[in-house]
Amino acid sequence: MNTHQLFSFLSDPRDPEEVLAALPAEELAGLLDLLFQELDTVEPAFGAQAWYDLAVEESNRRSVSPDGAAHGVA
């Protein structure tokens, strides 16, 4: 995943929770990494913090679920 893809996510008109729930685990991890890097800049992009927080929540939900399903639904 690259910076261009990050800004595609940040400008996506869909609900971030919907987008994040649909991402495969590898893409979610890549997005989390890019968001973390973006937040470590002097002026992070608008919305990056909210997306990061929601992505962390999604990752946590998947780690708790026995089958890795989104939203903890087994």
Side-chain angles (χ1 to χ4, degrees):
M1 193 168 285
N2 59 42
T3 304
H4 175 72
Q5 289 170 309
L6 171 64
F7 289 105
S8 292
F9 279 104
L10 295 177
S11 63
D12 193 312
R14 296 175 293 167
D15 185 277
E17 291 178 339
E18 173 188 343
V19 174
L20 293 167
L23 287 178
E26 186 175 305
E27 287 185 38
L28 179 60
L31 179 59
L32 272 166
D33 184 49
L34 280 175
L35 287 164
F36 185 82
Q37 291 176 40
E38 178 65 23
L39 292 173
D40 196 32
T41 63
V42 176
E43 289 186 45
F46 179 77
Q49 182 67 56
W51 272 83
Y52 180 79
D53 293 342
L54 291 169
V56 167
E57 287 178 19
E58 178 63 27
S59 180
N60 287 337
R61 273 193 288 270
R62 291 181 188 194
S63 68
V64 174
S65 176
D67 64 356
H71 306 290
V73 178

